[in-house]
Amino acid sequence: MHYLFERVLCSYIFILNFKMYGLINITNLQSVFEPLEILALIVSAISHDLDHDGYNNAYQINASTNLALIYNDQSPLEMYHCAVAFHILNKSECNILASLDRQSYRRIREYIIQWASYFFVVVEWYKNWFHFFFLHILKDHSGHRYGKSWTNTR
């Protein structure tokens, strides 16, 4: 079972990074962002959800977990994943940023930390938009959601 979990997790990480690579190239972000920002996006995608415990931010905050307390209810999971990423990057055998000068390292670290909280905002916005779109915009004039009644079996 542990092996299966690792395979699924690796697949998830691969797909997420592939999507980030595609987003960068399809939208031509490299013409808008500087190389350090692009690298920060990729590192952020790689470190997304590192050491996730299975609970969401709302749970962390409402249950006053250690993460919520440490990060003062400000995107506790995203801040934790970011911290885990930098703990890993502090290991010499894992530090893919080792060749950067001190100033560049500080800048990329700032980008990654900043984007960790933005990702939370984007996810929350997306969930709210998705809810609004499906519950309000796709109603037909008879008041049924999604254009037809879910109770109609025909």
Side-chain angles (χ1 to χ4, degrees):
M1 185 66 160
H2 181 68
Y3 173 76
L4 177 62
F5 177 75
E6 286 181 358
R7 297 289 300 205
V8 170
L9 182 61
C10 287
S11 297
Y12 170 72
I13 293 169
F14 175 79
I15 290 168
L16 184 64
N17 285 290
F18 186 73
K19 286 181 179 182
M20 180 57 72
Y21 176 79
L23 175 69
I24 290 167
N25 286 299
I26 290 169
T27 60
N28 199 22
L29 285 179
Q30 59 272 33
S31 68
V32 179
F33 288 169
E34 61 182 80
L36 276 182
E37 291 173 305
I38 298 294
L39 180 58
L41 280 172
I42 293 169
V43 171
S44 296
I46 291 169
S47 59
H48 171 78
D49 282 351
L50 278 176
D51 198 29
H52 201 295
D53 65 358
Y55 296 102
N56 63 18
N57 279 324
Y59 172 83
Q60 302 288 339
I61 293 166
N62 291 330
S64 294
T65 64
N66 286 338
L67 288 182
L69 295 174
I70 290 168
Y71 297 110
N72 297 314
D73 297 343
Q74 303 299 307
S75 307
L77 288 173
E78 286 71 22
M79 293 297 105
Y80 175 68
H81 303 318
C82 191
V84 170
F86 282 105
H87 281 287
I88 293 169
L89 289 171
N90 276 337
K91 297 177 182 178
S92 60
E93 67 272 14
C94 300
N95 193 350
I96 60 174
L97 307 175
S99 64
L100 296 176
D101 60 64
R102 184 154 177 78
Q103 181 183 6
S104 297
Y105 179 82
R106 292 296 311 154
R107 285 181 55 215
I108 199 168
R109 181 169 157 76
E110 287 172 13
Y111 292 144
I112 293 168
I113 293 168
Q114 190 176 40
W115 287 338
S117 59
Y118 290 162
F119 287 150
F120 172 70
V121 171
V122 169
V123 166
E124 290 303 307
W125 175 85
Y126 180 76
K127 286 192 309 192
N128 290 331
W129 176 86
F130 189 77
H131 179 264
F132 175 80
F133 183 78
F134 279 101
L135 294 182
H136 299 287
I137 294 177
L138 293 180
K139 276 185 174 179
D140 70 6
H141 296 293
S142 66
H144 295 113
R145 293 182 180 152
Y146 313 109
K148 66 178 183 177
S149 170
W150 285 100
T151 59
N152 186 353
T153 55
R154 289 192 229 174

